[in-house]
Amino acid sequence: MWKFLKIVGSVLLVAVAAILIYASTKPDSFRVERSAAMNVPPEKIFPYIEGLKRWTEWSPYEGRDPAMKRAYSGAESGKGAVYEWDGNDDVGKGRMEIVDSTPTHRVVIKLDFLKPFEGHNMAELTVEQKGGQTIVTWAMYGPSTFMTKLIGTFVDMDDMIGRDFAAGLAKLKAVVEK
């Protein structure tokens, strides 16, 4: 029996070591990006992106905790606008600050997650008119910590976050095309 337990323990130790080694080989940064075509001009879309109070109308994260606490500070919209939230485990706690804004074209956001996991990333929304449509792209990028790499070994982060971005862009499309 003792020999069997030693073998099982050795196999488990090798398996854990292999997972840790594999996780360490993953890239040191990540980028998740989704786009959607909308049938309105950029001027109609942009206020919903650079006005953080308007995110409640389309963000896929807003409906996940009806009791979520929200706080706004800084500029009303554009560079310097700040949005902080504190909610359940589905939305966590964090802060967004617009650090750059080019009207009707691009918004860059410093994104700090505080709970349930700490993370410091950037988000970028770009708006580009192509023909009779406007293409809105939502991206998030940043460093991949070892914990992020380890979680990414078991969970496809691009798929998980990408689904949220696609849902948010679909909702934004519905709101602006009304």
Side-chain angles (χ1 to χ4, degrees):
M1 181 68 163
W2 184 249
K3 189 174 185 179
F4 174 74
L5 290 176
K6 282 176 75 175
I7 291 170
V8 169
S10 296
V11 169
L12 285 174
L13 186 62
V14 168
V16 168
I19 290 169
L20 295 175
I21 290 168
Y22 175 71
S24 72
T25 66
K26 291 195 165 271
D28 292 330
S29 63
F30 76 95
R31 182 178 180 91
V32 176
E33 178 178 301
R34 296 296 185 274
S35 297
M38 302 184 191
N39 297 311
V40 294
E43 297 79 24
K44 180 143 185 189
I45 300 165
F46 207 72
Y48 290 90
I49 294 171
E50 77 163 353
L52 298 179
K53 290 179 181 175
R54 305 231 39 200
W55 282 49
T56 59
E57 298 175 53
W58 63 270
S59 171
Y61 305 106
E62 288 295 328
R64 294 186 180 169
D65 180 5
M68 182 168 60
K69 295 178 186 130
R70 297 171 184 83
Y72 301 93
S73 60
E76 185 66 27
S77 65
K79 188 174 181 176
V82 175
Y83 168 53
E84 297 177 74
W85 72 92
D86 191 356
N88 62 21
D89 288 341
D90 287 339
V91 295
K93 180 178 182 176
R95 180 180 192 273
M96 297 187 338
E97 179 179 356
I98 296 179
V99 295
D100 191 26
S101 180
T102 305
T104 71
H105 295 293
R106 181 172 167 254
V107 171
V108 180
I109 300 167
K110 181 177 181 274
L111 185 55
D112 295 309
F113 298 104
L114 305 173
K115 290 181 183 174
F117 299 104
E118 187 171 344
H120 305 282
N121 303 306
M122 299 299 288
E124 185 174 354
L125 289 111
T126 56
V127 180
E128 180 183 2
Q129 193 159 19
K130 284 190 175 181
Q133 294 188 310
T134 302
I135 309 301
V136 179
T137 301
W138 188 0
M140 182 170 71
Y141 51 91
S144 288
T145 64
F146 182 74
M147 187 57 73
T148 306
K149 293 177 185 183
L150 186 59
I151 292 169
T153 302
F154 301 100
V155 177
D156 185 346
M157 298 297 278
D158 183 82
D159 182 56
M160 185 175 73
I161 296 167
R163 259 186 278 131
D164 289 344
F165 285 7
L169 290 170
K171 195 168 181 183
L172 178 61
K173 176 182 172 78
V175 167
V176 300
E177 289 183 357
K178 254 196 284 199

